[in-house]
Amino acid sequence: MTGDTGIDPTAPPSGTGCTGCTECDATGGWWFHLRRCADCGHVGCCDSSPGQHATEHFRSTGHPVVQSYEPGEDWYWDYAANEVRETGPRLAPPTGHPEDQPAPGPAGRVPPDWAAALHR
């Protein structure tokens, strides 16, 4: 961890090929958007997703900061402060899932009525 920010820019993203939510991939689930723990690199699904694994990771580890793992997005969310951080250090690559991977994803596991399953 770098200082008290909850961010380690050298930690690579986790998961199967760094393409999706670690827990959803393990259980055959799907996600809406992805978030990456800025402290250890864990990739989990966002709070709109059925599994809400990024928040679960925060609760179980105390790692307070995630960065969007969506291509082209670089904002951070600080769970402890309950606020968006518009900027922060560049994290180790890759900084997002493959651009050809759909959101919601992954392809082939998203149900036709996926929008009804989102948390709002």
Side-chain angles (χ1 to χ4, degrees), residues 7 13 18 20 22 29 42-43 54 64 74 76 83 96 112 120:
I7 298 173
C18 308
T22 304
H42 175 271
V43 176
D74 60 2
Y76 290 84
E83 66 184 18
R120 304 204 192 270

Side-chain angles (χ1 to χ4, degrees), residues 1-92:
M1 187 158 88
T2 303
D4 63 352
T5 64
I7 298 173
D8 178 354
T10 66
S14 67
T16 309
C18 308
T19 61
C21 174
T22 304
E23 291 83 4
C24 288
D25 279 343
T27 62
W30 62 276
W31 53 82
F32 184 53
H33 289 134
L34 298 171
R35 307 293 179 245
R36 173 186 177 178
C37 177
D39 193 350
C40 72
H42 175 271
V43 176
C45 53
C46 72
D47 282 351
S48 294
S49 301
Q52 301 178 327
H53 292 119
T55 296
E56 181 180 300
H57 177 76
F58 160 65
R59 289 182 181 140
S60 68
T61 64
H63 297 168
V65 181
V66 293
Q67 185 179 49
S68 175
Y69 201 60
E70 295 300 313
E73 296 183 3
D74 60 2
W75 55 266
Y76 290 84
W77 176 257
D78 185 330
Y79 287 105
N82 198 36
E83 66 184 18
V84 171
R85 292 186 185 180
E86 296 293 333
T87 62
R90 183 158 178 82
L91 301 181

